Amino acid sequence: MGQQIQFTACIPSGTTATSESWSPTAPIGTAVGGYVASTNSGKLTALTPPSCGTAQNCDFPTFYWVDAANQRQFTFSYTANGGQTASATVTFDVAGPTQPNISAAVGTVQIGLLSKDQTGHYQPDPNGKPSMILFGVQVPGGVAGISFLASAVLPQSNSGAYSWAQILKQDQLTLRTGGNSNPICNPLSGVPALDLNYPYGALTTTNVPNDTATDNPISPLISSSGSPYYETTRSFSATMYLLWNPTSTGSIPVPLASMDWQFKADAINTGMAQQNGTQFILGCQYASGAACHVTIPSQEANQGYPTWGAVADGTLSCH
């Protein structure tokens, strides 16, 4: 699965075919057609065999299988101008990961003085900036807010490599500066956005059989000029996709599973020093219905590719 496939049928030289056909007329299972490997773009589509006419070679459209299965078959048949018929069949197995699964370890929404270290992880720092962050999961090299763990039974002949794609469905940050001024930052509404890059976490993800990806959404509690906000709220939801790429020439990543997750958070400026090193407390401890927690529905097998209409590059954009 994920390997480029194309079938070619040959009609004997000197024979004129009056008709040709492929059976089945589309790949059995789930397949991707119209894929451009250089741009990582593709779509699920029904593939229609070409009309070969009198050509000696007849090619089935190039495609990629998204799912694994044994004993798949394709048959090519033709009728010669004298009425004779002939056919040829190929039978093959499509190998790939089975029993794919995503599990996650989740932290809590916290407030503190934080700064980013050389590895890209946020760390408590008495000289850092007041921030509200999803935090508390120990990962190699630091602490994250959520850590995803991939597992699957990999084919013996091809261990391949995992990769991740995170799609943001909602991410709205509200910064109250007092009065009627409430800047809204990074509003996503109805347009799924690719989170930072593809594949997600490419600089820190290690492609091993039990691969991981992490995230730690952070929200500023002071402006770029150093003035503290009166209140900061955030509503965030995303889907993390697990993909697998075989180590084959001309191969593409195929989706294995996905996981939805979300959180809401609220930080209020008390004007007084708190034990967390800032003047802020988690307001959702006091406001009914505003929960500072993470929700993770159960993971599900997903043979559809992640799609997006925008890119979220982490830049704070407010209005």
Side-chain angles (χ1 to χ4, degrees):
M1 53 192 284
Q3 184 177 347
Q4 189 178 74
I5 303 294
Q6 185 175 42
F7 297 110
T8 296
C10 300
I11 299 173
S13 178
T15 299
T16 301
T18 58
S19 65
E20 314 92 357
S21 64
W22 289 92
S23 178
T25 56
I28 299 172
T30 304
V32 175
Y35 195 97
V36 182
S38 62
T39 58
N40 288 322
S41 64
K43 60 182 179 180
L44 295 176
T45 181
L47 301 179
T48 302
S51 175
C52 302
T54 58
Q56 296 301 119
N57 295 323
C58 185
D59 295 335
F60 194 89
T62 300
F63 66 98
Y64 307 80
W65 261 293
V66 177
D67 53 350
N70 295 331
Q71 297 296 299
R72 284 182 166 161
Q73 289 187 338
F74 264 86
T75 298
F76 176 80
S77 304
Y78 74 91
T79 300
N81 57 355
Q84 304 93 336
T85 61
S87 65
T89 298
V90 60
T91 303
F92 47 89
D93 297 337
V94 181
T98 58
Q99 303 176 37
N101 183 68
I102 304 176
S103 59
V106 187
T108 59
V109 177
Q110 301 178 26
I111 290 175
L113 297 172
L114 302 169
S115 62
K116 186 182 292 187
D117 63 20
Q118 294 180 345
T119 67
H121 293 92
Y122 287 97
Q123 303 287 356
D125 180 359
N127 297 316
K129 295 182 179 180
S131 304
M132 179 173 64
I133 191 173
L134 188 63
F135 214 49
V137 178
Q138 293 294 325
V139 297
V143 182
I146 184 170
S147 176
F148 299 92
L149 176 65
S151 65
V153 179
L154 301 178
Q156 295 181 355
S157 60
N158 194 326
S159 60
Y162 291 121
S163 64
W164 303 85
Q166 179 157 273
I167 304 299
L168 303 183
K169 296 184 294 184
Q170 181 182 21
D171 188 12
Q172 182 167 297
L173 183 67
T174 303
L175 307 174
R176 295 185 60 189
T177 57
N180 295 322
S181 179
N182 300 313
I184 307 296
C185 304
N186 302 333
L188 292 175
S189 178
V191 179
L194 181 68
D195 192 351
L196 297 182
N197 53 45
Y198 172 74
Y200 183 86
L203 298 179
T204 57
T205 297
T206 55
N207 290 317
V208 295
N210 292 313
D211 205 355
T212 61
T214 62
D215 197 6
N216 51 358
I218 187 169
S219 308
L221 300 181
I222 61 173
S223 66
S224 57
S225 64
S227 301
Y229 296 116
Y230 173 70
E231 183 178 18
T232 297
T233 63
R234 189 169 187 178
S235 180
F236 177 99
S237 65
T239 302
M240 181 65 82
Y241 288 83
L242 170 64
L243 303 101
W244 179 79
N245 198 352
T247 53
S248 307
T249 302
S251 63
I252 63 171
V254 292
L256 298 181
S258 64
M259 175 176 280
D260 292 331
W261 67 286
Q262 60 185 345
F263 75 90
K264 293 182 179 180
D266 181 19
I268 296 176
N269 189 350
T270 66
M272 298 179 292
Q274 303 295 316
Q275 291 183 349
N276 57 33
T278 76
Q279 296 182 355
F280 293 85
I281 61 172
L282 290 173
C284 40
Q285 295 176 352
Y286 308 98
S288 174
C292 287
H293 69 278
V294 182
T295 300
I296 302 182
S298 60
Q299 69 89 21
E300 62 183 64
N302 190 304
Q303 292 182 346
Y305 277 84
T307 59
W308 56 90
V311 176
D313 61 4
T315 303
L316 195 64
S317 176
C318 306
H319 64 82

